[in-house]
Amino acid sequence: MQTNKKTSSNVVAAYRRYLKLQRNFSVNTVDAYLRDLQKLIRYLESEGIDPADAALEDLRHFAAGLIDIGISPRSQCRILSGVRSFYRFMLVDGRAENDPTELLESPQLGNHLPEVLTIDEVDRMEAAVDLSKSEGHRNRAIIEVLFSCGLRVSELVSLKLSSLYLDEGYLRVMGKGSKERLVPISKRAVDELSFWFDDRCRMDISPGEEDYVFLNRRGKHLTRTMILIIIKQLAQDAGIQKTVSPHTLRHSFATALLEGGADLRAIQAMLGHESIGTTEIYTHIDMTTLRQEILHHHPRNILTEEGKAHKD
């Protein structure tokens, strides 16, 4: 069946409404799903296949094409996950008679342990901030809030003054799927925010931006890209060799909690993870750290190293 671009456009528009209204996804998440879906739509159009008529073999050829153009296994998994979501919608909405993705395989991924920072490295990043600059206290507050509260970067840039309950010691955060959660905030982070607010109150704030916590020099709220640039630059200035992003501070928050003895369910709640399985990756990080400590400090290993030295 020859695909019709107008029909495809109508299906995509309906899918957008489904993601936004029924799945309650954020604008950024909806846009990400649709960008990935467009890859499939373009492929099917080039093959003259209507999305409703696509078979498992067509989708396998599409998946093979992702490999051919050098898309990483992790990105392939994301794209194919979006394809499955699309066909579930097609089935539920009566636009397709069956789901061709039921037997569609994704590439196997090994356990990827995210990079984490030590407390000393976080302190070095904060020490690298130039407090003589107008944005100095703001940048220190950004680091401390990310590390102390474990926020996603999207949650940080959308954080509002009206969502701060600093006297009570917590924030109200709007997470994925427009789900709210309460997150405790440390005294250190409250102090850094107070220093930033002293500078913030002297700014000319653009209309409509008054309630945002973190602003740029023009009085508008910061973007995710700007936060990424700030974090990467401070990590470089602090002499940290790791690949550091805002999400690294979120991982470091969770890892520090686990190492301190926090319950995994409590960490799940603070991170806003829908599934405990997502949170469980931090147990792998903790076990890696534990193994290194054992190798360095257990007497059996110390004796082994001493024995090698004697033999040498």
Side-chain angles (χ1 to χ4, degrees), residues 18-74:
Y18 163 79
L19 293 173
K20 184 177 179 181
L21 301 177
Q22 295 192 40
R23 298 296 301 276
N24 203 25
F25 286 158
S26 69
V27 172
N28 288 332
T29 300
V30 171
D31 288 345
Y33 268 79
L34 295 181
R35 279 196 301 272
D36 287 341
L37 177 61
Q38 284 301 328
K39 295 178 176 65
L40 174 67
I41 297 292
R42 284 195 296 270
Y43 169 77
L44 294 176
E45 285 179 349
S46 70
E47 298 292 318
I49 302 168
D50 189 284
D53 297 325
L56 174 61
E57 201 60 28
D58 300 318
L59 300 183
R60 282 177 171 162
H61 287 156
F62 167 70
L66 299 178
I67 300 171
D68 292 342
I69 61 177
I71 292 179
S72 72
R74 191 164 296 278

Coordinates of all heavy atoms in Angstrom, one line a residue, residues 18-74:
Y18 N -2.1 12.1 22.2 CA -2.1 10.9 23.1 C -1.0 11.0 24.1 O -1.2 10.8 25.3 CB -2.0 9.6 22.3 CG -1.6 8.4 23.0 CD1 -2.5 7.7 23.8 CD2 -0.3 7.9 23.0 CE1 -2.1 6.5 24.5 CE2 0.1 6.8 23.7 CZ -0.8 6.1 24.5 OH -0.4 5.0 25.1
L19 N 0.2 11.3 23.7 CA 1.3 11.4 24.6 C 1.1 12.6 25.6 O 1.5 12.4 26.8 CB 2.6 11.7 23.8 CG 3.1 10.5 22.9 CD1 4.3 11.0 22.1 CD2 3.5 9.3 23.8
K20 N 0.6 13.7 25.1 CA 0.4 14.8 26.0 C -0.7 14.7 26.9 O -0.6 15.0 28.1 CB 0.2 16.1 25.1 CG 0.1 17.4 25.9 CD 0.0 18.6 24.9 CE -0.1 19.9 25.7 NZ -0.2 21.0 24.8
L21 N -1.9 14.2 26.4 CA -3.1 14.2 27.2 C -3.3 12.9 28.0 O -3.7 13.0 29.2 CB -4.3 14.5 26.4 CG -4.3 15.8 25.6 CD1 -5.5 15.9 24.7 CD2 -4.2 17.0 26.6
Q22 N -3.0 11.8 27.4 CA -3.3 10.5 28.1 C -2.0 10.0 28.9 O -2.2 9.5 30.0 CB -3.7 9.4 27.1 CG -5.1 9.8 26.5 CD -5.7 8.6 25.7 OE1 -5.6 7.5 26.1 NE2 -6.3 8.9 24.6
R23 N -0.8 10.2 28.3 CA 0.4 9.8 29.0 C 0.9 10.9 29.9 O 1.8 10.6 30.7 CB 1.5 9.4 28.0 CG 1.1 8.2 27.1 CD 0.9 6.9 27.8 NE 2.1 6.5 28.6 CZ 3.1 5.9 28.1 NH1 3.1 5.5 26.8 NH2 4.2 5.6 28.9
N24 N 0.4 12.1 29.7 CA 0.7 13.2 30.6 C 2.2 13.5 30.5 O 2.8 13.9 31.5 CB 0.3 13.0 32.0 CG 0.1 14.2 32.8 OD1 -0.1 15.3 32.2 ND2 0.2 14.2 34.1
F25 N 2.9 13.4 29.3 CA 4.3 13.6 29.2 C 4.5 15.1 29.1 O 3.7 15.9 28.6 CB 4.8 12.9 28.0 CG 5.0 11.4 28.1 CD1 5.1 10.6 27.0 CD2 5.1 10.8 29.4 CE1 5.2 9.2 27.1 CE2 5.2 9.5 29.5 CZ 5.3 8.7 28.4
S26 N 5.7 15.6 29.5 CA 6.1 17.0 29.3 C 6.3 17.3 27.8 O 6.4 16.4 27.0 CB 7.4 17.2 30.1 OG 8.5 16.6 29.4
V27 N 6.4 18.6 27.5 CA 6.6 19.0 26.1 C 7.9 18.4 25.6 O 8.0 18.0 24.5 CB 6.6 20.6 26.1 CG1 7.0 21.0 24.7 CG2 5.2 21.1 26.4
N28 N 9.0 18.5 26.4 CA 10.3 18.0 26.0 C 10.2 16.5 25.7 O 10.8 16.0 24.7 CB 11.3 18.3 27.0 CG 11.7 19.7 27.1 OD1 11.6 20.4 26.1 ND2 12.1 20.2 28.3
T29 N 9.5 15.7 26.5 CA 9.4 14.3 26.3 C 8.6 14.0 25.1 O 9.0 13.1 24.3 CB 8.8 13.6 27.5 OG1 9.6 13.9 28.7 CG2 8.7 12.1 27.3
V30 N 7.5 14.7 24.9 CA 6.7 14.5 23.7 C 7.5 14.8 22.4 O 7.5 14.0 21.5 CB 5.5 15.4 23.7 CG1 4.7 15.4 22.4 CG2 4.5 15.0 24.8
D31 N 8.3 15.9 22.4 CA 9.1 16.2 21.3 C 10.1 15.2 21.0 O 10.4 14.8 19.8 CB 9.8 17.6 21.5 CG 8.8 18.7 21.4 OD1 7.7 18.5 20.9 OD2 9.2 19.9 21.8
A32 N 10.7 14.6 22.1 CA 11.7 13.5 21.9 C 11.1 12.3 21.2 O 11.7 11.7 20.3 CB 12.4 13.2 23.2
Y33 N 9.9 11.9 21.7 CA 9.2 10.7 21.1 C 9.0 11.0 19.6 O 9.1 10.1 18.8 CB 7.9 10.5 21.9 CG 8.0 9.5 23.0 CD1 8.5 9.9 24.2 CD2 7.6 8.2 22.9 CE1 8.6 9.0 25.3 CE2 7.7 7.3 24.0 CZ 8.2 7.7 25.2 OH 8.3 6.8 26.2
L34 N 8.5 12.2 19.3 CA 8.1 12.5 17.9 C 9.3 12.6 17.0 O 9.3 12.2 15.8 CB 7.3 13.7 17.9 CG 5.9 13.7 18.6 CD1 5.2 15.0 18.4 CD2 5.1 12.5 18.0
R35 N 10.5 13.1 17.5 CA 11.7 13.1 16.7 C 12.1 11.7 16.3 O 12.5 11.4 15.2 CB 12.8 13.8 17.5 CG 12.8 15.3 17.4 CD 14.1 15.9 17.9 NE 14.5 15.5 19.2 CZ 14.1 16.2 20.3 NH1 13.3 17.2 20.2 NH2 14.5 15.7 21.5
D36 N 12.1 10.8 17.3 CA 12.4 9.4 17.0 C 11.4 8.7 16.1 O 11.8 8.0 15.2 CB 12.5 8.6 18.3 CG 13.7 9.0 19.1 OD1 14.7 9.5 18.6 OD2 13.8 8.7 20.3
L37 N 10.1 9.1 16.3 CA 9.1 8.5 15.4 C 9.3 8.9 13.9 O 9.1 8.2 13.0 CB 7.7 8.9 15.9 CG 6.5 8.4 15.0 CD1 6.5 6.9 14.9 CD2 5.2 8.9 15.5
Q38 N 9.8 10.2 13.8 CA 10.0 10.7 12.4 C 11.0 9.8 11.6 O 10.9 9.7 10.4 CB 10.4 12.1 12.4 CG 9.2 13.1 12.7 CD 8.1 13.0 11.7 OE1 8.3 12.7 10.5 NE2 6.9 13.3 12.2
K39 N 11.9 9.3 12.3 CA 12.9 8.4 11.7 C 12.2 7.2 11.0 O 12.5 6.8 9.9 CB 14.0 8.0 12.7 CG 14.9 9.1 13.2 CD 15.8 8.5 14.2 CE 16.8 9.6 14.7 NZ 16.1 10.7 15.5
L40 N 11.3 6.6 11.8 CA 10.5 5.5 11.3 C 9.6 5.9 10.1 O 9.6 5.2 9.1 CB 9.7 4.9 12.4 CG 8.7 3.7 12.0 CD1 9.5 2.5 11.5 CD2 7.8 3.4 13.1
I41 N 8.9 7.0 10.3 CA 8.0 7.5 9.3 C 8.7 7.7 7.9 O 8.3 7.3 6.9 CB 7.3 8.8 9.7 CG1 6.4 8.6 11.0 CG2 6.5 9.4 8.6 CD1 5.2 7.7 10.7
R42 N 9.9 8.4 8.0 CA 10.7 8.6 6.8 C 11.1 7.3 6.1 O 11.1 7.2 4.9 CB 11.9 9.5 7.1 CG 11.6 11.0 7.4 CD 12.8 11.8 7.3 NE 13.8 11.5 8.4 CZ 13.8 12.1 9.6 NH1 12.9 13.0 9.9 NH2 14.7 11.8 10.5
Y43 N 11.5 6.4 7.0 CA 11.9 5.1 6.4 C 10.7 4.4 5.7 O 10.9 3.9 4.6 CB 12.5 4.2 7.5 CG 12.6 2.7 7.0 CD1 13.7 2.4 6.2 CD2 11.7 1.8 7.4 CE1 13.8 1.1 5.8 CE2 11.8 0.5 6.9 CZ 12.9 0.1 6.1 OH 13.0 -1.2 5.6
L44 N 9.6 4.4 6.4 CA 8.4 3.7 5.8 C 8.0 4.4 4.5 O 7.6 3.8 3.5 CB 7.3 3.7 6.8 CG 7.5 2.8 8.0 CD1 6.4 2.9 9.0 CD2 7.7 1.3 7.6
E45 N 8.0 5.8 4.5 CA 7.6 6.5 3.3 C 8.6 6.2 2.1 O 8.1 6.0 1.0 CB 7.7 8.0 3.6 CG 6.5 8.5 4.4 CD 6.6 10.0 4.7 OE1 7.7 10.6 4.4 OE2 5.6 10.6 5.2
S46 N 9.9 6.0 2.4 CA 10.8 5.7 1.4 C 10.6 4.3 0.8 O 10.9 4.0 -0.4 CB 12.3 5.8 1.9 OG 12.5 4.7 2.8
E47 N 9.9 3.4 1.6 CA 9.6 2.1 1.2 C 8.2 1.9 0.6 O 7.8 0.8 0.2 CB 9.8 1.1 2.3 CG 11.3 1.0 2.8 CD 12.2 0.4 1.8 OE1 11.8 -0.6 1.1 OE2 13.3 0.9 1.6
G48 N 7.5 3.0 0.7 CA 6.1 3.0 0.2 C 5.1 2.2 1.1 O 4.2 1.6 0.7
I49 N 5.4 2.2 2.4 CA 4.6 1.5 3.4 C 3.9 2.4 4.3 O 4.5 3.3 4.9 CB 5.6 0.6 4.3 CG1 6.4 -0.4 3.4 CG2 4.8 -0.2 5.3 CD1 7.5 -1.1 4.1
D50 N 2.6 2.2 4.5 CA 1.8 2.9 5.4 C 2.1 2.4 6.8 O 2.2 1.2 7.1 CB 0.3 2.7 5.2 CG -0.6 3.7 6.0 OD1 -0.7 3.4 7.2 OD2 -1.1 4.7 5.4
P51 N 2.3 3.3 7.8 CA 2.6 2.9 9.2 C 1.6 1.8 9.7 O 2.1 0.9 10.4 CB 2.5 4.2 10.0 CG 2.8 5.2 9.1 CD 2.3 4.8 7.8
A52 N 0.4 1.9 9.4 CA -0.6 0.9 9.8 C -0.4 -0.5 9.2 O -0.9 -1.5 9.8 CB -2.0 1.4 9.5
D53 N 0.3 -0.5 8.1 CA 0.5 -1.8 7.4 C 1.9 -2.4 7.6 O 2.2 -3.4 7.1 CB 0.3 -1.6 5.9 CG -1.2 -1.2 5.6 OD1 -2.1 -1.6 6.3 OD2 -1.4 -0.4 4.7
A54 N 2.7 -1.7 8.4 CA 4.1 -2.2 8.7 C 4.1 -3.5 9.4 O 3.3 -3.8 10.3 CB 4.9 -1.2 9.5
A55 N 4.9 -4.4 8.9 CA 5.1 -5.8 9.5 C 6.4 -5.8 10.3 O 7.2 -4.9 10.2 CB 5.1 -6.8 8.4
L56 N 6.5 -6.9 11.0 CA 7.7 -7.1 11.9 C 9.0 -7.0 11.0 O 9.9 -6.4 11.4 CB 7.6 -8.5 12.6 CG 8.8 -8.9 13.4 CD1 9.1 -7.9 14.5 CD2 8.6 -10.3 14.0
E57 N 8.9 -7.6 9.8 CA 10.1 -7.6 9.0 C 10.5 -6.2 8.6 O 11.7 -5.9 8.5 CB 9.9 -8.5 7.8 CG 11.2 -9.0 7.1 CD 12.1 -9.8 8.0 OE1 11.5 -10.5 8.9 OE2 13.3 -9.8 7.8
D58 N 9.5 -5.4 8.3 CA 9.8 -4.0 7.9 C 10.5 -3.2 9.1 O 11.4 -2.5 8.9 CB 8.5 -3.2 7.6 CG 7.7 -3.9 6.5 OD1 8.4 -4.2 5.5 OD2 6.5 -4.0 6.6
L59 N 10.0 -3.5 10.3 CA 10.6 -2.8 11.5 C 12.0 -3.4 11.8 O 12.9 -2.6 12.2 CB 9.7 -3.0 12.7 CG 8.3 -2.4 12.6 CD1 7.5 -2.6 13.9 CD2 8.4 -1.0 12.1
R60 N 12.2 -4.7 11.5 CA 13.6 -5.2 11.6 C 14.6 -4.6 10.6 O 15.7 -4.3 11.0 CB 13.6 -6.7 11.5 CG 13.0 -7.5 12.7 CD 12.9 -9.0 12.5 NE 12.6 -9.6 13.8 CZ 12.1 -10.9 13.8 NH1 11.9 -11.6 12.7 NH2 11.9 -11.4 15.0
H61 N 14.1 -4.4 9.4 CA 14.9 -3.7 8.4 C 15.2 -2.2 8.9 O 16.3 -1.7 8.7 CB 14.2 -3.6 7.1 CG 14.2 -5.0 6.4 ND1 13.3 -5.3 5.4 CD2 15.0 -6.1 6.5 CE1 13.5 -6.6 5.0 NE2 14.6 -7.0 5.7
F62 N 14.2 -1.6 9.4 CA 14.4 -0.2 10.0 C 15.5 -0.2 11.1 O 16.4 0.6 11.1 CB 13.1 0.3 10.5 CG 13.2 1.6 11.4 CD1 13.6 2.8 10.8 CD2 13.0 1.5 12.7 CE1 13.7 3.9 11.6 CE2 13.1 2.6 13.5 CZ 13.5 3.9 12.9
A63 N 15.4 -1.2 12.0 CA 16.3 -1.3 13.1 C 17.7 -1.6 12.6 O 18.7 -1.0 13.1 CB 15.9 -2.4 14.1
A64 N 17.8 -2.4 11.6 CA 19.1 -2.7 11.0 C 19.7 -1.5 10.4 O 21.0 -1.2 10.4 CB 19.0 -3.8 9.9
G65 N 18.9 -0.6 9.8 CA 19.3 0.7 9.2 C 19.9 1.6 10.3 O 20.9 2.3 10.0
L66 N 19.4 1.5 11.5 CA 19.9 2.4 12.6 C 21.4 2.0 12.9 O 22.2 2.8 13.1 CB 19.1 2.2 13.8 CG 17.6 2.6 13.8 CD1 16.9 2.4 15.1 CD2 17.5 4.1 13.4
I67 N 21.7 0.7 12.8 CA 23.0 0.2 13.0 C 23.9 0.7 11.9 O 25.1 1.1 12.1 CB 23.0 -1.4 13.1 CG1 22.2 -1.9 14.2 CG2 24.5 -1.9 13.2 CD1 22.0 -3.4 14.2
D68 N 23.4 0.6 10.7 CA 24.2 0.9 9.5 C 24.7 2.4 9.5 O 25.8 2.7 9.0 CB 23.4 0.7 8.2 CG 23.2 -0.8 8.0 OD1 23.9 -1.6 8.6 OD2 22.3 -1.2 7.2
I69 N 23.8 3.3 10.0 CA 24.2 4.7 10.0 C 24.9 5.1 11.3 O 25.2 6.3 11.5 CB 23.0 5.6 9.8 CG1 21.9 5.4 10.9 CG2 22.3 5.3 8.5 CD1 20.7 6.4 10.8
G70 N 25.3 4.1 12.1 CA 26.2 4.4 13.3 C 25.5 4.9 14.5 O 26.2 5.4 15.4
I71 N 24.2 4.7 14.7 CA 23.5 5.1 15.9 C 23.9 4.1 17.0 O 23.9 2.9 16.8 CB 22.0 5.1 15.7 CG1 21.7 6.3 14.7 CG2 21.2 5.3 17.0 CD1 20.2 6.4 14.4
S72 N 24.2 4.6 18.2 CA 24.7 3.8 19.3 C 23.6 2.8 19.8 O 22.4 3.1 19.6 CB 25.2 4.7 20.5 OG 24.0 5.2 21.1
P73 N 24.1 1.7 20.4 CA 23.1 0.7 20.9 C 22.1 1.3 21.9 O 20.9 1.0 21.8 CB 23.9 -0.3 21.6 CG 25.2 -0.3 20.8 CD 25.4 1.2 20.5
R74 N 22.6 2.2 22.7 CA 21.7 2.9 23.7 C 20.6 3.7 23.0 O 19.4 3.7 23.4 CB 22.5 3.7 24.7 CG 21.7 4.2 25.9 CD 22.6 4.7 27.0 NE 23.4 3.6 27.5 CZ 23.0 2.7 28.4 NH1 21.8 2.7 28.9 NH2 23.8 1.8 28.8

